[in-house]
């Protein structure tokens, strides 16, 4: 997500090599999915600034998942902790651009994304209208300002979703969690909610949704559109509290990684 993190060691070959032997859907179904996705994107674009309204944002996120044939396997209705005076810092592992859509389908929160996302055709426009905050991956000197902005957002009562691995990985446990965004929670006195995101095809762990290396968004989107039986599972863990960003980052990563081991170990 920014220059304070290394590039992912995963490549597009990882997604192809690790994917389970699930036959792709038929071309006619792929075309239907693209048509449904175009409809959802058009509907979101027509909403303009109203897209940032929670009800509208959740509806569009769920619509995008449905259009692509991705089934959400979560019975959660919110990720924010309690009804306190601050928002919640929601931290999740990062596998795909679909992670953001899946989280927003559960609860429309402010998302911190790399600046490049804001430049993507169509998607970037919708992301900006949805209230996404962007970070410059080459702007290390801007990091304290970003942390201060996140802390202010949390103090205002709004929750923020971040991906502290800073880039996408093939698996839940790939990459070390960066500590900077945890400082925002410490400064705001906000709880941290660790969240595990996993993808499966017919109950088998899958990397079909992974967005890796120098792969283009179009290539990743096409692989998702062709995937059969793709499910995204979101697991929210008990909230963490503290003022030490190093301890918070380490504990969050341990909790999220432990969930993967418990399910697939």
């Amino acid at each position: 997500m920014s220059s304070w993190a290394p590039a992912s060691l995963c490549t597009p070959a990882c997604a192809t090599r690790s994917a389970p032997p699930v036959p792709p859907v038929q071309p006619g179904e792929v075309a239907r999915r693209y048509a449904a996705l175009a409809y959802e994107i058009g509907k979101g674009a027509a909403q303009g600034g109203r897209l940032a309204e929670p009800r509208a944002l959740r509806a569009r996120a769920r619509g995008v998942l449905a259009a692509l044939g991705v089934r959400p396997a979560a019975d959660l209705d919110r990720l924010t902790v309690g009804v306190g005076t601050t928002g919640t810092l929601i931290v999740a592992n990062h596998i795909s651009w679909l992670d953001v859509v899946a989280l927003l389908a559960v609860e429309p929160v402010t998302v911190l994304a790399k600046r490049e996302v804001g430049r993507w055709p169509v998607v970037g426009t919708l992301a900006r209208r949805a209230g996404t905050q962007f970070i410059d991956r080459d702007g290390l000197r801007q990091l304290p300002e970003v942390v201060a902005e996140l802390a202010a957002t949390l103090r205002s009562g709004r929750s923020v979703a971040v991906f502290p691995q800073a880039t996408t990985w093939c698996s839940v446990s790939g990459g070390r969690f960066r500590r900077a965004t945890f400082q925002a929670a410490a400064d705001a006195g906000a709880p941290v909610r660790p969240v595990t995101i996993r993808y499966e095809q017919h109950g088998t762990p899958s990397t079909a949704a992974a967005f890796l290396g120098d792969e283009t968004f179009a290539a990743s989107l096409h692989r998702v559109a062709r995937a059969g039986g793709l499910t995204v599972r979101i697991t929210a863990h008990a909230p963490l509290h503290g003022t030490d960003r190093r301890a918070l980052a380490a504990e969050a990563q341990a909790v999220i990684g432990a969930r993967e081991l418990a399910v697939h170990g």
Side-chain angles (χ1 to χ4, degrees):
M1 191 182 299
S2 71
S3 60
W4 43 274
S8 172
L9 298 180
C10 297
T11 68
C14 172
T16 303
R17 186 171 56 248
S18 302
V22 177
V25 298
Q26 295 299 312
E29 172 61 14
V30 175
R32 188 204 65 79
R33 290 181 178 184
Y34 275 127
L37 178 62
Y39 172 79
E40 289 295 333
I41 291 175
K43 198 169 182 179
Q47 289 179 297
R50 292 183 292 113
L51 180 62
E53 297 175 1
R55 183 177 298 181
L57 188 53
R58 181 187 286 112
R60 293 288 70 73
R62 293 179 176 179
V64 167
L65 291 179
L68 291 172
V70 180
R71 185 172 66 88
D75 56 3
L76 304 170
D77 60 2
R78 73 188 277 112
L79 299 170
T80 295
V81 177
V83 196
T85 57
T86 68
T88 299
L89 183 69
I90 299 161
V91 297
N93 59 292
H94 204 11
I95 295 175
S96 171
W97 51 270
L98 266 180
D99 300 344
V100 174
V101 182
L103 289 178
L104 293 178
V106 174
E107 181 181 357
V109 296
T110 299
V111 177
L112 179 66
K114 61 184 180 181
R115 191 175 298 273
E116 289 90 332
V117 173
R119 303 190 189 106
W120 286 353
V122 182
V123 174
T125 300
L126 295 180
R128 291 192 299 273
R129 290 180 179 176
T132 301
Q133 293 185 8
F134 298 101
I135 183 171
D136 188 349
R137 69 190 313 168
D138 296 318
L140 184 62
R141 289 181 295 181
Q142 297 177 2
L143 192 55
E145 180 180 343
V146 172
V147 171
E149 291 177 356
L150 287 180
T153 300
L154 292 169
R155 289 192 192 97
S156 74
R158 288 185 291 157
S159 293
V160 181
V162 302
F163 301 98
Q165 286 168 305
T167 188
T168 49
W169 292 80
C170 305
S171 64
V172 172
S173 55
R176 181 171 65 86
F177 277 20
R178 303 293 139 172
R179 302 185 291 260
T181 52
F182 290 89
Q183 186 63 51
D187 292 345
V192 175
R193 169 79 86 180
V195 170
T196 300
I197 300 175
R198 295 180 291 115
Y199 293 90
E200 301 174 351
Q201 285 181 274
H202 301 299
T204 302
S206 171
T207 56
F211 183 40
L212 306 166
D214 296 325
E215 183 176 38
T216 65
F217 174 75
S220 177
L221 173 62
H222 190 60
R223 189 169 60 248
V224 170
R226 295 177 69 244
L230 187 60
T231 297
V232 55
R233 293 186 179 275
I234 299 177
T235 304
H237 306 286
L240 308 176
H241 302 269
T243 57
D244 186 332
R245 67 179 184 179
R246 292 175 176 81
L248 286 171
E251 189 171 358
Q253 182 162 16
V255 169
I256 291 172
R259 173 62 183 176
E260 180 185 40
L261 291 175
V263 174
H264 303 306

